Amino acid sequence: AKRAGRNNLVNFESGMVESVTRRYRLEQELKQALDRGEFELHLQSQFDRDERLIGAEVLLRWRHPVRGLVSPAEFIPVAEESGQIIAIGEWVLSEACHLLHGLEHSTPPGQRVPTISVNVSPRQFRTPDFVDRVRETIEQTGIDPSHLMIEITENMLVSHASDAIARMRALAALGLAFSIDDFGTGYSSFAYLKRLPLSEIKLDKSFVDDVPGTPGDTAMVEAILAMAARLGIDVVAEGVETCEQFDYLKANDCTRFQGFCFARPVPARQWVDERLEAMEK
Ligand code: C2E
Ligand code: CA
Ligand code: CA
Ligand code: CA
């Protein structure tokens, strides 16, 4: 037992050294990634109850020269902590608005322009000039801000509530919409929803995974859907993988759907091309 304990300790220490080194390297590489053009946008379609395309979420990808495609789950937390997320996030927003501008121009009159949703990290959202930067980006790209949706997480609203709410109102006044990401996983309070300029919440995948299930497991999902319906807020179910989940969520008044069951994230160019092809049919 003693030997095992010692081995564990050694492993633990070397594991720590390894992770610190790895993290340091990641940070250095992230610094260069933007300049070298290694980031790219992928888009995952979102659908309404009739399975019509209504929009897409922008998901960042890092094409690392050696490691290949790196998941944002790995590098976003590092970029968030180092502050690099601010420059990266500004790049994402600007690219997304350029893409949206193209979509607006390729959409025939009378047809709906897809809503483009962009993730904004807490650190980026809290920068003092965030509202100004968004306004500038909208002006420079010439987009209609009503086609833009910003996804923020609910914890952002709890920890810096009054500041965050003021900022949301200023952005909403520009004409863009807000979505609360990963809804239900943080310190959500139904009470604050009413006070926010919200058009949508995203039901976290961990809840979607539970349905259809036993009554105890689905209580939260049903409560969230019922509350949102009463407040007139759309709910996007994220991570919908099966038809059973889709049927269940639809029966419980969920309004929007995103997940592998419908579409996986694809490179932005491919998404645009596929949409154009579908429109020609
Ligand atoms: P998220 O905002 O919750 O994004 C949804 C994640 O679930 C995406 O992973 C997406 O590919 C994945 N997903 C979608 N449908 C399904 C499904 O049916 N099954 C499964 N198993 N997964 C599904 P991804 O692209 O790896 O992104 C991970 C997280 O990274 C995102 O979580 C978001 O928090 C963050 N992120 C991505 N892009 C950006 C960005 O541009 N800025 C910021 N700040 N964060 C980003
Ligand atoms: Ca998101
Ligand atoms: Ca999410
Ligand atoms: Ca999630």
Side-chain angles (χ1 to χ4, degrees):
K2 211 171 187 180
R3 199 186 293 154
R6 195 176 289 154
N7 276 343
N8 282 342
L9 185 67
V10 168
N11 285 342
F12 174 64
E13 279 177 350
S14 64
M16 240 173 45
V17 170
E18 190 184 52
S19 79
V20 168
T21 314
R22 186 180 155 80
R23 199 203 139 107
Y24 176 77
R25 213 175 47 220
L26 198 65
E27 242 182 80
Q28 297 305 307
E29 289 177 335
L30 269 174
K31 267 189 199 153
Q32 302 166 337
L34 249 189
D35 297 334
R36 292 185 178 166
E38 290 169 4
F39 288 119
E40 52 187 67
L41 303 188
H42 285 214
L43 262 62
Q44 186 178 27
S45 296
Q46 299 175 332
F47 299 87
D48 68 8
R49 296 168 60 84
D50 301 317
E51 297 178 62
R52 283 182 303 225
L53 179 77
I54 50 167
E57 178 178 8
V58 171
L59 294 161
L60 185 60
R61 298 289 180 264
W62 178 12
R63 204 167 284 279
H64 189 281
V66 180
R67 291 202 282 153
L69 223 51
V70 185
S71 160
E74 188 173 353
F75 67 83
I76 296 279
V78 176
E80 171 82 26
E81 214 176 296
S82 68
Q84 291 164 312
I85 191 65
I86 295 167
I88 296 171
E90 280 172 2
W91 179 84
V92 171
L93 183 69
S94 164
E95 288 291 302
C97 287
H98 279 107
L99 186 135
L100 178 52
H101 189 251
L103 291 180
E104 288 173 347
H105 282 263
S106 63
T107 304
Q111 272 196 42
R112 177 181 180 149
V113 176
T115 301
I116 295 299
S117 296
V118 177
N119 292 286
V120 171
S121 86
R123 184 110 176 225
Q124 185 189 1
F125 190 73
R126 277 190 220 117
T127 53
D129 62 348
F130 181 65
V131 176
D132 293 330
R133 298 309 290 263
V134 173
R135 185 186 297 117
E136 279 166 24
T137 309
I138 289 171
E139 282 165 6
Q140 280 163 9
T141 53
I143 61 150
D144 175 346
S146 72
H147 301 140
L148 183 65
M149 178 96 76
I150 287 187
E151 293 191 8
I152 56 175
T153 54
E154 56 190 335
N155 289 344
M156 231 185 290
L157 301 170
V158 179
S159 51
H160 298 74
S162 59
D163 210 40
I165 293 170
R167 197 155 288 193
M168 278 178 83
R169 293 210 172 115
L171 288 163
L174 297 178
L176 52 80
F178 278 95
S179 178
I180 305 293
D181 206 356
D182 301 335
F183 190 82
T185 60
Y187 302 97
S188 29
S189 138
F190 289 168
Y192 72 60
L193 288 182
K194 260 195 332 199
R195 297 190 289 132
L196 300 177
L198 266 193
S199 61
E200 168 187 288
I201 60 180
K202 296 191 82 171
L203 186 64
D204 190 63
K205 181 177 182 301
S206 58
F207 294 111
V208 174
D209 289 342
D210 286 342
V211 304
T214 52
D217 289 340
T218 56
M220 265 295 273
V221 174
E222 280 159 31
I224 291 171
L225 288 168
M227 172 218 48
R230 293 207 43 185
L231 293 173
I233 298 172
D234 278 299
V235 180
V236 186
E238 64 173 29
V240 180
E241 293 184 346
T242 69
C243 296
E244 288 74 26
Q245 289 172 333
F246 177 49
D247 291 341
Y248 173 92
L249 292 161
K250 214 157 65 158
N252 283 278
D253 292 336
C254 188
T255 53
R256 300 177 177 175
F257 305 87
Q258 181 181 351
F260 294 173
C261 160
F262 304 96
R264 292 189 173 245
V266 295
R269 154 101 13 229
Q270 183 185 335
W271 191 91
V272 168
D273 288 347
E274 284 173 2
R275 176 170 174 270
L276 287 176
E277 271 171 40
M279 281 192 315
E280 276 162 18
K281 277 177 197 157

